[in-house]
Amino acid sequence: MENVLSRVKDSDIDQFAFSELPAAENCDDRTLTADAFGFYKDGHFDASIIARRRGDAVDVIPLVHPDRQRPKWNFVKAWRHFSHVRKDKEQTDQIIGVFDALPWRGAAEAAINFLTSPQGQAIYQSEPYLPDILDDHVALRKTPKGSFAHAYCDFMEREGLSAAGLVAATGNDRNGQPLLKDGVEWYNDRLRDIHDILHILTGYERDPLGEQCLLAYLFHQRPSPGHLAVSTAGTLLMKVQLKTKAPILRAIIEAHRHGRLCTRIVEQSIRGILPMPLAEVRERFNVPAPFWYKKVHDVWKFEGVDPHAFLAKQ
């Protein structure tokens, strides 16, 4: 991760005037996080930290933790997790295991680019933890009817899901590596937390084909080989095992193409889009309706195929 850290040293991150921070020797753990003291040099904080107000205090963490290593791919481990997903698509922890075994190796660079931009700095201040925002359905329901927030609440309540539940399913490590409190981890958390948001935005439901399409779509949001591997393998298995004339492959190819056109949602203000009409959000981020996915469902309805049968729990 040496090249990542060297880029941080040269960056200019300025969420607010660091002169407002108290001297390190006068700080306690309510004012500065423990990691911050390693970044206090010669009477000031260097550019490799990010800071956020918390009431009257200030949280400071490294942009990239010194112990962070560039993630590696583990294909054997990925296949082991995928073999469990084949038996039960509801094993979220196993799906996440595939992603962790085949991660996006450029996530740290993307996090740095985002968090050192004005937009990234503003969002880091205003959206410290997305699950708290997304699980407050009482507040979300106060937005106008037809808003993205209402569509999100309807989806999560219908499916019996919560943002906190997705957090719990991720576990306490990534591919055997401990979670490090830094800006990269915050960015990775957002990538996780927007999964169900993208279900709403794209129109792909939680049936097996919808999940495969969303993963193909996500490859350009988060270019992880894990997303591409699961969507490709899952689609091929579906094509082989289901006796259908439905255009499954076209649906996946379309999802992959549409994902390439969409703005990276993780780097947008979720608070900002939740009150907006769903159609307006889709237009803003260039998210067209999934034609071939819906066509597959039309064909399956005619053929009497249950869209939830494949990869269903045995």
Side-chain angles (χ1 to χ4, degrees), residues 50-313:
I50 51 177
R52 177 169 54 215
R53 296 185 186 280
R54 179 168 53 85
D56 294 332
V58 175
D59 283 326
V60 180
I61 61 173
L63 186 52
V64 180
H65 197 284
D67 294 337
R68 180 170 294 282
Q69 301 295 316
R70 185 174 297 280
K72 298 179 181 179
W73 294 336
N74 187 328
F75 294 96
V76 174
K77 191 172 184 179
W79 175 252
R80 190 184 310 125
H81 285 294
F82 183 71
S83 65
H84 290 288
V85 177
R86 289 179 58 191
K87 299 175 184 177
D88 180 4
K89 78 177 183 67
E90 297 296 340
Q91 294 193 50
T92 305
D93 58 331
Q94 297 296 335
I95 297 175
I96 293 171
V98 177
F99 303 155
D100 287 347
L102 298 175
W104 175 19
R105 299 190 69 205
E109 286 85 352
I112 292 169
N113 289 335
F114 179 59
L115 283 168
T116 54
S117 70
Q119 181 174 343
Q121 293 167 23
I123 290 175
Y124 182 73
Q125 302 298 321
S126 62
E127 298 179 2
Y129 189 62
L130 280 181
D132 287 346
I133 299 171
L134 297 174
D135 282 342
D136 188 355
H137 287 200
V138 173
L140 295 180
R141 290 290 189 187
K142 293 179 180 178
T143 60
K145 295 289 185 180
S147 69
F148 190 95
H150 275 270
Y152 176 80
C153 291
D154 291 344
F155 175 85
M156 299 298 280
E157 292 166 11
R158 181 177 70 247
E159 298 291 336
L161 302 173
S162 70
L166 184 58
V167 174
T170 61
N172 297 317
D173 60 49
R174 281 195 173 91
N175 197 20
Q177 299 298 317
L179 302 182
L180 299 171
K181 192 173 183 181
D182 63 2
V184 178
E185 203 65 57
W186 176 83
Y187 189 84
N188 281 328
D189 286 347
R190 281 179 69 88
L191 286 167
R192 171 201 64 204
D193 297 335
I194 65 168
H195 178 83
D196 291 315
I197 286 176
L198 284 164
H199 269 297
I200 310 302
L201 192 62
T202 61
Y204 294 121
E205 297 288 340
R206 292 187 69 243
D207 61 285
L209 178 61
E211 292 288 5
Q212 307 306 319
C213 285
L214 184 61
L215 293 178
Y217 191 100
L218 277 169
F219 181 70
H220 295 287
Q221 294 282 316
R222 154 180 215 173
S224 151
H227 286 81
L228 200 58
V230 172
S231 64
T232 301
T235 303
L236 291 176
L237 285 170
M238 189 180 300
K239 187 67 176 176
V240 169
Q241 294 184 15
L242 290 179
K243 298 182 183 300
T244 176
K245 295 182 179 180
I248 295 173
L249 294 180
R250 286 192 176 188
I252 294 293
I253 292 171
E254 179 185 63
H256 184 75
R257 185 175 67 251
H258 284 180
R260 188 167 60 245
L261 302 175
C262 180
T263 305
R264 187 167 280 170
I265 304 302
V266 70
E267 298 180 358
Q268 309 306 311
S269 171
I270 303 304
R271 283 187 188 275
I273 67 174
L274 283 169
M276 294 170 55
L278 178 56
E280 185 177 330
V281 177
R282 287 172 172 164
E283 182 178 359
R284 171 179 290 193
F285 298 132
N286 196 22
V287 183
F291 174 82
W292 289 110
Y293 168 72
K294 293 179 179 179
K295 184 67 174 178
V296 168
H297 276 260
D298 290 341
V299 173
W300 279 349
K301 184 177 181 180
F302 177 78
E303 294 177 338
V305 174
D306 180 0
H308 294 274
F310 181 75
L311 294 182
K313 189 173 183 179

Side-chain angles (χ1 to χ4, degrees), residues 10-43:
D10 295 332
S11 65
D12 179 17
I13 188 162
D14 184 24
Q15 272 100 344
F16 53 84
F18 286 110
S19 60
E20 296 181 20
L21 298 179
E25 59 269 20
N26 295 326
C27 294
D28 56 31
D29 59 6
R30 293 174 303 168
T31 306
L32 296 175
T33 58
D35 286 333
F37 293 99
F39 294 83
Y40 190 84
K41 301 173 183 178
D42 301 325

